[in-house]
Amino acid sequence: VAGALARTADARRDLARRMCVPSSAIADRSIDAALSAPLRIEPSFASNIVSVALLDRIELRQMLAEYAAAEASLRLAVAQQVPDIGLGPVFRWAVDQQRWSLGTGLNPLSRQRGPIAEAIARREETAARFYARQADVAANAEAALGTYQAAIAEYDRATLLLGSVETRAADIQTLFDLRDVDAVALVGSRLEVLLARRAELDALSRVHRTLGTLEDTVHRPLTFPGGLPRDVGTAPSREP
C-alpha cells in the first residue's frame, strides 16, 4: 500500500507540474476543471487549408509584387517598340486549381533585343522562384494539417481511455466501500486514473503545439468563429 501511495503522490506532483498548478490543486475529482478542451479549427479551414495559406502568406504576396514589377519592366520595354499592345492580368487566382497563376501571354518575338531580353529573363526567374515557394507552402500546409489532425485523434483516444479507467476506478471504490477489495486495489486504481489523466494532458499539449505550427504555416489564427476569412474562390487578380 505504501508503495502504491508513493507512486500516486509522484504521479499527482508530475501532473501538477505539467499543468503549472500547485500539487494541492490536483484532487481526484477536481482535475477536470483545470483541463481545457482542445482547440478544434473550423471545418472550412481544414478543407481549404492550402488555399488559406497561399492567400495569406506574406512572402507570397511580396513575391507577387516582385513579379508584377518584373512584368511592368518587360511591358515598358515592349511598349517602347510596340505601342498600344493589349495585355491581360499580371497574375490571378486560379479557382479550379486553388493556386496563383502568373503570366500574361506576352512573349515578344524580338527576344534578342537587349532590354526586352533582360526583362524577360528577370520575369522568368521571378516566376520560377514564386512557383517553387508556392509548392513549398502548399506542401507545408498539408503536412501541418495532417500532424494537427493526428494530434486531435490521439487526444480523443486518450480521453476515451481516461473515461474507461475512471469508470473502473469508481467500481473499485464501490467494492472497497463494501469491503470486497483491499486498499492496494483502491490506490492502484487511483494511480491508473492519474496516469491516464497525464496521458490526456500530454495529448492536449500536442494538440496546442501542432495547432500553433499550423497557424504559423498559414499565417493566420484558426480558432475564431465564422469559417474562412474570405471566399477562396474570389481572390484578387492584378491588372496591368
Side-chain angles (χ1 to χ4, degrees), residues 28 47 84 105 112 128 149 158 162 168 182 197 236 240:
D28 289 343
S47 61
D84 301 324
Q112 302 307 315
Q149 291 175 329
L162 175 59
R168 180 173 179 274
D182 57 16
R197 290 179 185 273

Side-chain angles (χ1 to χ4, degrees), residues 1-179:
V1 175
L5 287 173
R7 289 194 297 273
T8 300
D10 289 341
R12 181 176 287 109
R13 284 192 294 270
D14 181 65
L15 187 58
R17 177 183 59 79
R18 292 167 184 259
M19 297 176 64
C20 299
V21 298
S23 58
S24 59
I26 307 300
D28 289 343
R29 293 190 177 125
S30 65
I31 190 172
D32 285 337
L35 286 172
S36 62
L39 300 175
R40 300 177 186 266
I41 65 174
E42 292 286 331
S44 55
F45 276 114
S47 61
N48 294 283
I49 198 69
V50 172
S51 299
V52 173
L54 296 181
L55 288 169
D56 288 326
R57 291 280 297 209
I58 299 300
E59 80 274 23
L60 289 181
R61 291 288 187 171
Q62 292 172 336
M63 294 178 76
L64 285 173
E66 185 180 348
Y67 179 84
E71 177 69 18
S73 296
L74 174 58
R75 293 176 183 224
L76 178 60
V78 172
Q80 291 174 346
Q81 298 182 34
V82 187
D84 301 324
I85 186 172
L87 301 172
V90 176
F91 56 79
R92 65 184 181 86
W93 179 251
V95 177
D96 55 339
Q97 299 177 349
Q98 294 294 286
R99 294 291 189 277
W100 288 107
S101 177
L102 308 178
T104 65
L106 175 60
N107 293 295
L109 297 177
S110 53
R111 284 174 171 267
Q112 302 307 315
R113 298 180 182 179
I116 293 180
E118 293 175 3
I120 290 175
R122 284 195 300 271
R123 184 187 68 172
E124 291 178 349
E125 187 271 337
T126 302
R129 287 191 294 107
F130 175 83
Y131 281 128
R133 184 56 184 156
Q134 178 171 243
D136 287 342
V137 169
N140 291 339
E142 290 175 343
L145 176 63
T147 302
Y148 166 79
Q149 291 175 329
I152 284 288
E154 180 183 359
Y155 173 82
D156 290 341
R157 289 193 296 270
T159 300
L160 287 174
L161 176 61
L162 175 59
S164 175
V165 171
E166 287 179 327
T167 298
R168 180 173 179 274
D171 292 340
I172 292 178
Q173 179 67 57
T174 300
L175 293 174
F176 178 79
D177 294 339
L178 296 174
R179 302 294 190 268

